[in-house]
Amino acid sequence: MSSYHDPSNPNHGHLAHALRHHIGGQRQRIFGDLAQLCAIPSLALNDEHATDMDRSAAMIRDLMVERGLTTEIITTSDGSPAIVGKRAAKNNAPTVLLYCHHDVVDISTPDEWETDPFILTERECRWYARGSADCKGNVLMHLAAIRAVDATGGCDAGIILVCEGSEERGGQGLRDLVDARPELFDADLICIADTASGQAGLPTLTTSLRGGGQLTVTVNTLEAPVHSGQFGGAAPDAVAALVRVLATLHDDDGQVAVDGLGQHRNWEGSPYPAEDEEAREAAGLLDGVDMLGARNDEMADLVWARPAVTITGFSSTPVEEAINAVPATASAQLNLRVPPGVDTAAAAEKVAEHLRANISWGAHIDVEITSANPAFAADTSGPLFGVLSDCIAEAYEHETELIGTGGSIPLTVKLAEKFPDAEFGLYGVAESASAIHSSNESVDPEEIARLALAEALLLTRLHFR
């Protein structure tokens, strides 16, 4: 067992004050480093920026080396660079793994940005740039915490700082590295800084991740398109057949109508951290458009505890190429999300079976399950999780809320499988106003400071086991 924070020890109060003061004094340094890092277009899905990925990795390596971490850049199986820095524990103290990623998504709508997406710009107390919140802000948050700890006497806790370069392309490279070199990731507490809170200033720990799957559905009805004047009304339209079968996936409230996916579960943690109107605004709902769900369904139930099937892609004849012909083929891409406790692979097969059973007119349907990642639920009863929760609460001066997220982080599942005795904490500098993956992505610098303080408190309060 470990010896942790004793609230009655006055030295802890003095140290907390010193850590808070030091991190507050790092604001210009954090901004400067984040500006340099965001200026590097480390675009995950654009092979033309491979050299930029290397530049980004090199900068982070140098920042880790500056902190005295034994550091290496590792080219993973997908060609992306991961940076791993380590500092051994002293006096048999626990080791903490701090995770983040330095790859970012592309700029799909540059005209919608108010400022250059690769120039960190301060506006109305927020910092705007691609990657500022997802996830380069977390890179600098980790480093600020270690810098503050080093400046105030150090700590016994071991530190593993992992910054991957393949998260936005699925993270297979780092997951393969976990299998190939597990000793790089062996820690007692694994802190994944890649989730978001509901709003700035609200301390949260994410304890639940939905599993994720991808399915490709293809429907064929004819050997080739035929003239709609000759055969329209008799020859079955492949697009109509696909639309009809996709419509059977949801009931009138928009909830998943495939049995056995956990659609009747309710969230048991903290409520969704936004009022209905705030949630509508965050989702970008147009005037008059309803949120899905029955009247008594809570937002937390819908996005954290229940399944979702989303049609993320659809292929037929493009509108600009349309001719008067009955379509012979159509395809759709489906994204599946399932709550913890539901096997993702089995759920994906249930969706596939449902589609095959409900296809109209004898149309030929092919359903391919291309991926299925398990869900994750953190054990919140462990002592290290408790210390982390307390440190976050102290940094924010507010009790920590335990929330879920509707997304998936396959790396978390991989690490949990590889290190079953490790405890997990998930959090991050992003929140509802951050607009990650969108135009005008931004971060609240106070979120960087608060979480840096929480991590600094954590590192200084983990002693012998």
Side-chain angles (χ1 to χ4, degrees):
M1 293 299 292
S2 298
S3 172
Y4 302 125
H5 174 49
D6 176 6
S8 65
N9 186 341
N11 291 330
H12 284 185
H14 295 322
L15 179 56
H17 176 78
L19 290 170
R20 189 183 296 272
H21 178 76
H22 191 278
I23 289 170
Q26 290 189 49
R27 184 183 178 95
Q28 278 191 305
R29 170 69 191 270
I30 295 170
F31 181 90
D33 287 345
L34 185 57
Q36 289 186 56
L37 198 55
C38 288
I40 302 172
S42 49
L43 304 178
L45 299 175
N46 190 327
D47 292 338
E48 294 179 2
H49 288 267
T51 57
D52 292 316
M53 291 291 294
D54 292 337
R55 290 171 55 214
S56 177
M59 177 181 170
I60 294 166
R61 175 202 58 202
D62 292 346
L63 291 171
M64 289 188 188
V65 169
E66 177 190 296
R67 296 273 40 86
L69 302 180
T70 301
T71 306
E72 60 178 316
I73 297 176
I74 303 166
T75 301
T76 64
S77 61
D78 62 10
S80 64
I83 316 97
V84 180
K86 303 188 76 171
R87 181 187 295 173
K90 296 182 290 187
N91 302 318
N92 206 31
T95 293
V96 179
L97 187 153
L98 305 174
Y99 166 88
C100 52
H101 65 87
H102 65 104
D103 57 320
V104 300
V105 297
D106 211 335
I107 310 298
S108 58
T109 53
D111 293 343
E112 294 181 6
W113 282 78
E114 294 185 25
T115 53
D116 189 318
F118 297 111
I119 298 178
L120 189 66
T121 304
E122 183 163 7
R123 190 167 68 250
E124 296 178 349
C125 300
R126 297 187 69 89
W127 296 348
Y128 289 81
R130 170 60 82 228
S132 58
D134 184 28
C135 176
K136 294 177 179 180
N138 287 311
V139 179
L140 276 303
M141 178 269 291
H142 289 321
L143 288 162
I146 299 170
R147 193 177 296 118
V149 169
D150 292 347
T152 53
C155 66
D156 287 349
I159 298 172
I160 304 173
L161 180 51
V162 176
C163 187
E164 81 162 301
S166 63
E167 196 276 340
E168 299 294 2
R169 65 170 67 184
Q172 189 61 51
L174 196 69
R175 295 200 299 279
D176 289 344
L177 186 61
V178 173
D179 285 329
R181 297 183 61 184
E183 74 281 356
L184 292 175
F185 305 89
D186 190 1
D188 301 287
L189 175 63
I190 297 175
C191 297
I192 306 291
D194 194 25
T195 60
S197 63
Q199 61 190 57
L202 182 67
T204 59
L205 277 169
T206 299
T207 61
S208 172
L209 302 169
R210 290 192 292 190
Q214 301 286 344
L215 300 91
T216 302
V217 187
T218 303
V219 171
N220 293 289
T221 56
L222 307 168
E223 292 181 357
V226 294
H227 195 287
S228 61
Q230 290 182 301
F231 294 101
D237 175 345
V239 173
L242 179 56
V243 169
R244 283 172 64 90
V245 75
L246 293 179
T248 69
L249 293 171
H250 300 90
D251 62 22
D252 289 342
D253 293 319
Q255 295 305 286
V256 177
V258 180
D259 291 337
L261 270 62
Q263 53 262 63
H264 303 298
R265 301 186 179 200
N266 294 312
W267 176 250
E268 297 180 355
S270 301
Y272 193 82
E275 299 295 333
D276 289 347
E277 286 304 314
E278 293 173 330
R280 288 179 58 87
E281 183 178 350
L285 262 69
L286 301 177
D287 290 344
V289 176
D290 295 330
M291 277 284 195
L292 301 181
R295 178 173 297 180
N296 295 325
D297 286 337
E298 298 290 339
M299 187 72 171
D301 299 333
L302 300 175
V303 298
W304 297 342
R306 296 184 186 173
V309 178
T310 304
I311 304 167
T312 57
F314 194 99
S315 297
S316 65
T317 305
V319 172
E320 59 273 15
E321 298 175 15
I323 58 175
N324 295 329
V326 179
T329 187
S331 299
Q333 181 76 16
L334 306 182
N335 175 250
L336 170 69
R337 304 285 181 173
V338 295
V342 175
D343 183 275
T344 309
E349 188 54 49
K350 288 180 186 294
V351 173
E353 291 171 359
H354 175 96
L355 292 167
R356 296 183 191 112
N358 286 277
I359 190 67
S360 297
W361 314 321
H364 294 188
I365 182 169
D366 177 73
V367 185
E368 180 184 7
I369 300 170
T370 56
S371 68
N373 299 309
F376 172 81
D379 180 2
T380 62
S381 64
L384 297 174
F385 182 92
V387 177
L388 174 61
S389 179
D390 289 344
C391 290
I392 290 176
E394 184 172 343
Y396 280 78
E397 300 179 323
H398 185 286
E399 183 178 354
T400 302
E401 304 280 348
L402 303 184
I403 65 171
T405 187
S408 308
I409 304 179
L411 173 66
T412 305
V413 176
K414 167 64 71 174
L415 290 170
E417 291 172 349
K418 188 67 70 173
F419 306 106
D421 295 329
E423 297 181 46
F424 284 79
L426 288 76
Y427 50 88
V429 300
E431 30 77 28
S432 59
S434 292
I436 63 173
H437 289 203
S438 187
S439 303
N440 299 304
E441 177 183 346
S442 68
V443 67
D444 182 339
E446 292 304 314
E447 290 298 288
I448 297 178
R450 292 182 186 113
L451 285 177
L453 174 58
E455 286 191 352
L457 292 170
L458 171 73
L459 293 171
T460 58
R461 291 177 182 175
L462 298 181
H463 306 302
F464 65 88
R465 279 179 288 188

